[in-house]
Amino acid sequence: MVDQPAPTLPELIDMQIRTSGPMSVASYMALCLTHPTKGYYKSDDPLGIKGDFVTAPEISQMFGELIGFFFVNLWQQMGSPRAFTLLELGPGRGTLMADMLRVACRAEGFRDALDLRLFETNPALIAEQNARLEPYEPKWIDSFDKVGQGPLLVVANEFFDALPIRQFVRMDDGWHERVVGLTDGQRSFGLNPTPIPATAMPEAVANAETNSVFEVGLANGEVMKRLAAIISTQGGAILAIDYGYARTQIGETLQGVRRHQYADVLDAPGETDLSAHVDFEALGNVAANAGLAVQPLATQGQFLTRLGINERARALSAANPASADDIVTAKARLVAPEQMGNLFKAFCAASPGLLPQGFAP
């Protein structure tokens, strides 16, 4: 008897649709990104030139260095506690944290107090993180109840955009949830036939026109709720940098990227990075409900400029004149409005009384 090859992720998804009917966009995203063995984030390293996308820490060391100073300042504001947890959500190759800690650990007492935790599931990336961060004795966690009892400082760069979203489409009889089904054997979008009354939707979308799309990040809200509850009890802050919008709004932002090119989100499940813009107003409401102080949202350009990226770029250029042009180019990519500067936002929610740097008063 010849063993049959294990089904691929596309085959598994299609099989589930045939068996159980169309699935929500959130369920589809979850399978594509985090299937235990075949999901996108369980595969090889997706970062860098050879991967599907490049993140800010990979562009320049200045990004991580400034965030390192940001967290040192918060730690000092808290009275330099002798034990605290620094948690990164989705740490990639460990580049951001390595740059952060290279400068942060220059502060007296910071290294001795540090308990480094990393929330990561990709085996290839965990190996890279360990190679870069081994001197700091990192611990990998798969749930947020494993962060220790002291103050909690959290950094999340391009993490929330990858969590599953639900999509709803406004029709004449109300809102209908968008689903993924099969049409002539091909994956396609459709609508759940049962309408959701407009009264059940947020006020921000009450006057939406027919065919308008509204995205809801329930997973984003759940992560923020759990972390904010810990911080409200133990003290600390969460810094999230991601692309998104300041106010809850109508509009479809779900996208697929493969090999640095936009790709059909329904094509090649498990091989395509799926993401959606983050609703920072919704995140802020969750954090505020937990008792945290939410800072005014800043663009990435504003945040890094306030933290001193111009001064840091000049110092690096002076120390490395042969690389001065590259340093200027990298800085522009991070802060220029037409590049990452305006698209990406910096969000911070902290214990009342803390004054996070980089945010307008």
Side-chain angles (χ1 to χ4, degrees), residues 71-197:
F71 279 109
V72 164
N73 181 267
L74 283 179
W75 175 71
Q76 292 172 337
Q77 286 187 45
M78 292 188 295
S80 303
R82 298 179 64 179
F84 76 99
T85 298
L86 178 59
L87 168 66
E88 183 173 3
L89 309 180
R93 293 171 170 169
T95 304
L96 171 59
M97 187 57 69
D99 289 338
M100 287 173 55
L101 294 179
R102 186 175 61 252
V103 297
C105 288
R106 295 174 187 170
E108 184 177 356
F110 189 93
R111 173 66 186 90
D112 291 338
L114 172 68
D115 179 7
L116 179 60
R117 307 282 174 124
L118 304 172
F119 187 80
E120 179 61 70
T121 60
N122 183 311
L125 291 179
I126 288 175
E128 291 205 48
Q129 292 157 19
N130 188 56
R132 284 185 170 86
L133 300 171
E134 186 176 11
Y136 305 104
E137 304 175 61
K139 303 177 185 69
W140 285 266
I141 64 173
D142 55 11
S143 68
F144 298 133
D145 57 0
K146 301 177 181 179
V147 297
Q149 301 301 311
L152 174 63
L153 298 175
V154 183
V155 60
N157 182 62
E158 292 198 53
F159 173 81
F160 284 100
D161 68 273
L163 297 183
I165 61 164
R166 297 174 70 184
Q167 288 187 327
F168 298 89
V169 182
R170 180 65 183 266
M171 305 304 291
D172 292 338
D173 61 344
W175 291 89
H176 292 253
E177 183 162 13
R178 179 175 277 174
V179 295
V180 177
L182 294 173
T183 301
D184 297 328
Q186 301 297 313
R187 284 178 295 281
S188 61
F189 285 119
L191 297 178
N192 186 311
T194 304
I196 299 171

Side-chain angles (χ1 to χ4, degrees), residues 13 16-17 21-34 161-169 176-181 187-192 213-219 252-256 265-266 269 274-276:
I13 289 173
Q16 182 170 326
I17 293 172
M23 64 180 65
S24 70
V25 171
S27 295
Y28 175 75
M29 285 185 69
L31 284 170
C32 290
L33 297 177
T34 59
D161 68 273
L163 297 183
I165 61 164
R166 297 174 70 184
Q167 288 187 327
F168 298 89
V169 182
H176 292 253
E177 183 162 13
R178 179 175 277 174
V179 295
V180 177
R187 284 178 295 281
S188 61
F189 285 119
L191 297 178
N192 186 311
V213 177
F214 177 55
E215 297 175 336
V216 180
L218 294 180
E252 181 175 6
T253 68
L254 177 64
Q255 67 179 25
V265 299
L266 298 180
L274 303 181
S275 64

Side-chain angles (χ1 to χ4, degrees), residues 291-304:
L292 301 188
V294 179
Q295 305 305 305
L297 194 69
T299 66
Q300 178 173 291
Q302 291 170 330
F303 178 66
L304 295 177

